[in-house]
Amino acid sequence: MLKTRLRASALVLLLASGGAGASSVPDYPFVHVTGSSFQAVVPDLASLDFEIVAPDADPAAARAVLEARVGEVRDLARQLGIEADDVVVREVRQGIRKEEKGADGGPVYELRCDVHVNVRNVANWAALAGGLLGKPNLDGFASGFDRTDMDTIHDELVTQAIQDARRQAGVMAAAGGRRVGGLMGATPEALKNLSTAMGLERSDFRGDRGADRARAQDVDREQLLAVPALKLRQPVDVIFRLENLPKRTR
């Protein structure tokens, strides 16, 4: 049954190549396949995003709390050898908490800022995340992981995906009485990260309030402190020319 389906697929492509009308279809016998590759790699870079939230009926008091928390974050980062430039504090935003009043019936103000910390030595990850989780006024945690050599890994995955496509094309070509020729076109799709990170991905860090961020009380401590493997999959669409098999000589 499988050989029958492969033979039918190859014949369909052979017939389609004979049509002179469609400009998107090559005018030579071809086979179109999708290959893929997969790697699981240990990250060597990490990042942590979170919010500092300070409510108070007195805006000045709220700002003092916020600035104190920023100082604590910077102190912890410095103790772990994280450069000052790798701790990015976004602008402070001030608002009023709706449906909440102070003791005197006045408004309750809320000051917020976003913090992004690059961790260039992933060995410091547990100490950083564990040292911040549970601190007052910290919320909206989001983690992200990466590799310094991601470009090299991507190139390897593309090569492996094309090799996988050639293998599949060889099966289809043989089913139709042909052999695989030269590669005539290839289009890699976006590299897919199948890993799961806590909260938002690193590239999704924004200056506004992220509704998808993990609230501090909902964060699984073990999940936050763990460094997960990056599960990467690279698909690629490939077109190979089909060639006739050599004639047998008696």
Side-chain angles (χ1 to χ4, degrees):
M1 180 64 70
L2 176 60
K3 288 187 176 180
T4 302
R5 291 200 298 268
L6 291 173
R7 188 186 303 275
S9 299
L11 291 176
V12 167
L13 291 173
L14 288 170
L15 292 172
S17 65
S23 59
S24 61
V25 178
D27 59 359
Y28 49 79
F30 71 95
V31 59
H32 174 210
V33 293
T34 299
S36 65
S37 57
F38 174 85
Q39 278 192 38
V41 296
V42 177
D44 58 5
L45 295 175
S47 67
L48 182 65
D49 299 315
F50 56 92
E51 290 180 305
I52 301 178
V53 184
D56 201 287
D58 181 0
R63 179 171 288 274
V65 170
L66 187 142
E67 291 176 351
R69 297 294 176 262
V70 169
E72 293 170 4
V73 172
R74 293 193 183 279
D75 287 342
L76 176 60
R78 185 166 51 250
Q79 293 169 19
L80 295 174
I82 297 173
E83 297 291 336
D85 291 344
D86 284 329
V87 180
V88 181
V89 180
R90 299 288 176 90
E91 71 281 359
V92 177
R93 306 180 301 281
Q94 179 175 308
I96 297 177
R97 287 196 164 183
K98 298 179 179 179
E99 301 178 357
E100 186 174 348
K101 298 295 183 180
D104 60 354
V108 174
Y109 296 91
E110 180 182 87
L111 274 68
R112 287 178 174 263
C113 70
D114 297 293
V115 182
H116 177 89
V117 183
N118 289 316
V119 184
R120 302 186 187 277
N121 180 0
V122 79
N124 291 325
W125 174 255
L128 176 71
L132 295 177
L133 184 62
K135 277 188 173 294
N137 305 105
L138 302 191
D139 211 343
F141 285 91
S143 63
F145 298 91
D146 207 341
R147 287 274 299 209
T148 52
D149 58 348
M150 188 59 76
D151 288 343
T152 300
I153 293 173
H154 177 257
D155 293 346
E156 294 173 352
L157 286 169
V158 170
T159 300
Q160 294 167 8
I162 291 178
Q163 292 171 346
D164 178 60
R166 179 175 285 278
R167 179 190 61 79
Q168 296 184 56
V171 174
M172 297 178 70
R178 298 289 189 103
R179 69 179 181 184
V180 177
L183 187 155
M184 308 308 294
T187 303
E189 297 180 20
L191 180 65
K192 301 182 185 299
N193 185 353
L194 308 180
S195 310
T196 56
M198 191 281 301
L200 300 179
E201 292 294 331
R202 181 166 62 92
S203 59
D204 293 331
F205 178 67
R206 295 291 185 267
D208 57 354
R209 295 178 62 178
D212 294 333
R213 286 188 171 187
R215 303 269 69 84
Q217 63 269 25
D218 299 327
V219 172
D220 184 309
R221 184 179 181 86
E222 291 186 3
Q223 181 184 3
L224 178 63
L225 269 58
V227 178
L230 298 175
K231 300 174 183 178
L232 307 172
R233 186 170 71 86
Q234 177 62 62
V236 60
D237 283 325
V238 186
I239 294 177
F240 293 100
R241 183 186 291 275
L242 291 177
E243 298 176 351
N244 291 325
L245 294 171
K247 294 183 179 179
R248 295 181 179 178
T249 56
R250 295 182 180 178

